[in-house]
Amino acid sequence: MPTDTADDPYLRARLRVTEDPEGYWLDAARAVDWIQPPTVALDASQAPLHRWFPDGTLNTCFNAVDRHVRDGHGDRPAIIHESPVTETSTTMTYSDLLRAVSVCAGAMRRLGVARGDTVLIYMPMVPEAVVAMLACARIGAVHSVVFGGFAANELAARIDDAAPTLVLSASCGVEPTRIVPYKPLLDAAVAMSTAVPPRCVVLQRPMQTAALDPARDLDWHDFLALGADQPAECVELAATDPLYVLYTSGTTAKPKGIVRDNGGHAVAMTWALPNIFDVGPGEVMWAASDIGWVVGHSFIVYAPLLTGATTVLYEGKPVGTPDAAQFWRVVERHAVKALFTAPTAIRAIRKEDPDGSGAAVARLDSLQTLFLAGERLDPATYEWAGQVLGVPVVDNWWQTETGWPIAANLRGLAPMPIKPGSPTVPVPGFDVRILDTDGREVGPGQEGAICLKLPLPPGCLLTVWGDEHRFRSSYLSAFEGYYATGDGGFVDEDGYLQVMGRTDDVINVAGHRLSTGAIEAVLTGHPAVVEAAVVGVHDELKGQLPHGFITIRSEPAVDREQLRTELVALVRDRIGPVASFRTTTVHQALPKTRSGKILRKVLRDLHDGAAVDVPPTIEDPAVLERIRQELHTR
Ligand code: COA
Ligand code: AMP
């Protein structure tokens, strides 16, 4: 890390944000078009709950769409929809986007959606989904996008929690080998929900249309027709008004609704894109993720559009749609400057094309950086990507809750030497501290809980939707005055952060965050299962895969193979295919502490064949040897 503050923009930014946070963030806020510009950056009157830009008013959609048209950039591509699974590629300019969003927002109004109402979006990677998000922002409705790979049960949990006035969906999604009918999942979810949404709008896709319930459902085109003669203008919103709720997995089966505001979010996004990702107006950013995840919200939708850049919306996979060269074709075709994906996507490409021949034949001179996040970046993937692409491979560490990178190599502000295995340094505004179990800060090289000293910078979660108590208990209560990230790690002598992994029961499967508690709840729901412990075991492609360790009833006897098949089907049905749950082993007993807590880390190490650190509090050490044998004879 550089040491001379005067010469280094990174150190200057860190110094200023520490010494004069008000001035620093009010300056950053100038990149946003406010209706009422804020005179105050931080409201700490309710600490530890903080609010950013309390007296500012704005509209996020205006900043993401209207102002670029106003400034003469209406012909600039806003969204490039690249869809190898439907063999289509379409471009929407900022003027096209403005028209579409105004009409969609007008239609929502006609259906009675008002400021502060929630709208749930359960759609595949189609431009209409982005239009719907922006339309909500335009009229002050709060969107909640749900990832398409979740099952009806998970969708129902989100419908119940968000209680949407309106659901926007589609007849189907298109996966490489099959059509996924979304409408039956939506119908099943609504049937399970207590908060029944009054209206559902369905985008009929030609690959598979859906039957509509005339009392509740509306075809997307009929819906838009409602707004055609009454397009909606942007409403004035308080910076502190909620923009969206995005559900993420916690340690329990119930997902947490992460709430983001309008003002702080707009400031954070407009700061992040040029300073971290080095992408400016008119340049092309491609975040190969899904709008159902935070990467999609921040770096497919909001940051590129707020900046006036062009975003690629990709409906496909890194491999199989049609092959491992597809990413590089898209980069070439659209002159992508920054590509952002998860390490698992690169591992998938490498597996199919180890020599990188797909990248070798593509013209990739537009590509300046490959950004990777969502899970730990393993050295082999880092090396391979760097060699094949010949550009810096930049790890960045963050989470749904923060909404933008906590640690990164800031390619726009001040690029730094890359250390493989480290996401580099804290982004200015994130005050990263490593704490021991007693809450004491530890020195360089010492591992502990990675925490963020409050206040969090703009753009991070404000609370958990409808449950402030859960916000406090999940994040703020472990260490007073700090936000606990749930990750463990250390800062080295050079100030570089190393993230070692979750310290709780959250796992990362192909860059997707899952709660082992939620999977355990499904397994113990099977009548034959007594106890279940799910751990994330090592997988070459997906980083981690969930593996179930179970004990079963002795009577009535069950066929174990049959049971395993049923459990796989049950998890697929209750959580969704995205959980990639495939393996279970049956045991006589699970290892526990004397107070009855299952030793999940011990189970993971036993499974992966790693050295097992046996805690002295273990109830019966003999269980370990039995499990080892049972794992071998499965
Ligand atoms: N709608 C419906 N089903 C979906 C879905 C969606 N949007 N996304 C995934 N699924 C299904 C898949 O079809 C698959 O079902 P299957 O078990 O019947 O095959 C299952 O969920 C698992 O999907 P996925 O995680 O995509 O695994 P995969 O084996 O199909 O592909 C990779 C493996 C590595 C190619 C893929 O995981 C990938 O592209 N990862 C990148 C992850 C990423 O971008 N993460 C976001 C953070 S940046
Ligand atoms: P999500 O909220 O789905 O983005 O998942 C966030 C979690 O993914 C973090 O708490 C980490 O455990 C993990 N994660 C994300 N990015 C990285 C990274 N660059 N390195 C290591 N772990 C990461």
Side-chain angles (χ1 to χ4, degrees):
M1 191 164 71
T3 47
D4 187 349
T5 314
D7 290 346
D8 185 75
Y10 170 71
L11 288 181
R12 272 206 306 276
R14 254 182 84 162
L15 191 68
R16 173 127 195 260
V17 77
T18 310
E19 291 186 342
D20 175 22
E22 280 288 306
Y24 181 92
W25 289 117
L26 285 173
D27 275 355
R30 284 189 229 285
V32 170
D33 239 294
W34 299 87
I35 299 169
Q36 193 63 52
T39 60
V40 177
L42 180 69
D43 171 8
S45 60
Q46 309 290 318
L49 309 184
H50 295 95
R51 295 289 176 269
W52 284 96
F53 311 110
D55 61 352
T57 65
L58 77 163
N59 185 283
T60 295
C61 179
F62 179 85
N63 277 275
V65 186
D66 304 51
R67 71 160 161 168
H68 306 310
V69 178
R70 179 199 66 190
D71 295 343
H73 306 303
D75 292 338
R76 181 184 290 166
I79 302 173
I80 297 171
H81 181 227
E82 186 64 46
S83 173
V85 289
T86 59
E87 297 180 345
T88 57
S89 174
T90 51
T91 299
M92 270 182 122
T93 64
Y94 273 98
S95 293
D96 299 334
L97 187 59
L98 177 57
R99 264 189 302 277
V101 170
S102 311
V103 167
C104 183
M108 283 187 195
R109 276 250 180 83
R110 290 282 299 274
L111 288 185
V113 178
R115 176 177 176 174
D117 286 349
T118 47
V119 173
L120 190 135
I121 301 172
Y122 181 60
M123 295 180 86
M125 290 285 284
V126 290
E128 288 84 350
V130 181
V131 167
M133 293 166 79
L134 294 164
C136 290
R138 194 168 188 84
I139 60 171
V142 181
H143 63 69
S144 186
V145 182
V146 178
F147 177 62
F150 282 123
N153 209 51
E154 290 287 323
L155 179 57
R158 287 155 175 80
I159 291 177
D160 271 340
D161 198 71
T165 310
L166 179 67
V167 173
L168 302 174
S169 189
S171 55
C172 66
V174 186
E175 285 293 289
T177 55
R178 67 198 160 101
I179 301 288
V180 181
Y182 277 28
K183 181 63 174 24
L185 292 172
L186 173 62
D187 290 340
V190 171
M192 282 179 222
S193 311
T194 44
V196 176
R199 300 307 293 264
C200 297
V201 176
V202 180
L203 175 74
Q204 297 280 21
R205 304 192 78 191
M207 313 91 210
Q208 185 166 331
T209 54
L212 303 187
D213 169 359
R216 189 200 65 194
D217 302 337
L218 201 56
D219 178 275
W220 184 269
H221 294 287
D222 297 336
F223 161 69
L224 289 188
L226 296 175
D229 54 353
Q230 286 182 35
E233 288 304 318
C234 294
V235 300
E236 181 173 1
L237 296 170
T240 53
D241 280 342
L243 170 68
Y244 70 76
V245 184
L246 176 60
Y247 287 87
T248 189
S249 304
T251 49
T252 66
K254 189 175 186 291
K256 286 190 279 218
I258 299 305
V259 181
R260 199 96 62 212
D261 61 4
N262 274 276
H265 173 256
V267 172
M269 293 296 108
T270 41
W271 194 90
L273 206 69
N275 287 294
I276 301 177
F277 296 94
D278 194 22
V279 172
E283 295 182 325
V284 183
M285 164 104 193
W286 176 19
S289 176
D290 190 287
I291 51 158
W293 307 118
V294 70
V295 174
H297 278 63
S298 296
F299 296 109
I300 297 175
V301 182
Y302 284 111
L305 298 178
L306 285 163
T307 306
T310 299
T311 185
V312 178
L313 180 73
Y314 180 72
E315 189 180 17
K317 302 270 174 176
V319 293
T321 58
D323 57 31
Q326 180 63 9
F327 264 33
W328 319 130
R329 277 185 213 107
V330 174
V331 168
E332 175 179 326
R333 192 174 303 147
H334 300 298
V336 171
K337 183 179 182 190
L339 171 61
F340 184 162
T341 190
T344 188
I346 302 299
R347 286 196 295 271
I349 295 172
R350 181 183 174 203
K351 198 169 153 209
E352 302 246 317
D353 179 15
D355 303 330
S357 56
V361 296
R363 280 194 51 157
L364 300 179
D365 31 340
S366 66
L367 188 68
Q368 298 213 340
T369 321
L370 172 66
F371 293 94
L372 295 174
E375 55 175 324
R376 187 169 164 77
L377 173 55
D378 55 288
T381 304
Y382 167 82
E383 296 292 343
W384 185 84
Q387 271 163 23
V388 163
L389 298 174
V391 298
V393 176
V394 173
D395 188 4
N396 54 113
W397 168 69
W398 49 297
Q399 41 189 211
T400 308
E401 289 83 345
T402 63
W404 58 300
I406 307 169
N409 200 308
L410 294 100
R411 304 308 293 175
L413 182 71
M416 287 182 197
I418 292 172
K419 279 196 195 183
S422 163
T424 315
V425 291
V427 169
F430 286 98
D431 190 352
V432 174
R433 308 289 174 106
I434 311 294
L435 305 183
D436 67 15
T437 44
D438 297 325
R440 278 189 301 258
E441 221 176 309
V442 300
Q446 274 180 280
E447 212 174 309
I450 313 180
C451 295
L452 306 174
K453 195 160 189 296
L454 297 174
L456 297 173
C460 297
L461 81 169
L462 295 185
T463 185
V464 170
W465 182 254
D467 198 348
E468 194 181 295
H469 172 74
R470 196 167 179 209
F471 172 54
R472 289 173 184 265
S473 64
S474 301
Y475 302 108
L476 307 181
S477 65
F479 305 103
E480 207 186 319
Y482 297 86
Y483 164 90
T485 64
D487 281 300
F490 63 92
V491 174
D492 73 12
E493 296 288 346
D494 299 324
Y496 278 56
L497 184 70
Q498 295 275 349
V499 181
M500 307 309 290
R502 299 288 305 194
T503 53
D504 56 15
D505 299 329
V506 167
I507 59 170
N508 236 292
V509 176
H512 308 319
R513 176 165 156 185
L514 298 169
S515 154
T516 54
I519 304 175
E520 287 169 5
V522 174
L523 300 185
T524 49
H526 190 289
V529 176
V530 178
E531 274 187 313
V534 172
V535 301
V537 298
H538 176 74
D539 181 71
E540 280 299 323
L541 175 65
K542 298 195 176 185
Q544 285 188 314
L545 278 178
H547 175 88
F549 292 83
I550 58 169
T551 62
I552 58 174
R553 287 178 215 293
S554 47
E555 294 290 334
V558 289
D559 178 305
R560 291 187 177 193
E561 212 38 59
Q562 172 69 19
L563 174 63
R564 287 195 190 102
T565 311
E566 284 172 17
L567 292 176
V568 169
L570 209 54
V571 173
R572 212 178 155 82
D573 182 56
R574 297 288 157 80
I575 293 183
V578 68
S580 298
F581 180 80
R582 306 226 194 289
T583 57
T584 320
T585 42
V586 180
H587 303 277
Q588 288 178 45
L590 300 179
K592 290 184 187 161
T593 61
R594 282 189 284 275
S595 58
K597 197 172 175 308
I598 297 177
L599 292 162
R600 290 182 173 73
K601 184 173 178 321
V602 166
L603 285 172
R604 192 180 68 204
D605 291 342
L606 282 171
H607 184 283
D608 291 350
V612 178
D613 191 8
V614 184
T617 53
I618 190 165
E619 188 185 37
D620 175 12
V623 170
L624 302 185
E625 198 41 51
R626 271 208 306 274
I627 291 184
R628 229 180 237 121
Q629 283 165 13
E630 286 159 346
L631 279 168
H632 276 121
T633 54
R634 68 173 132 154

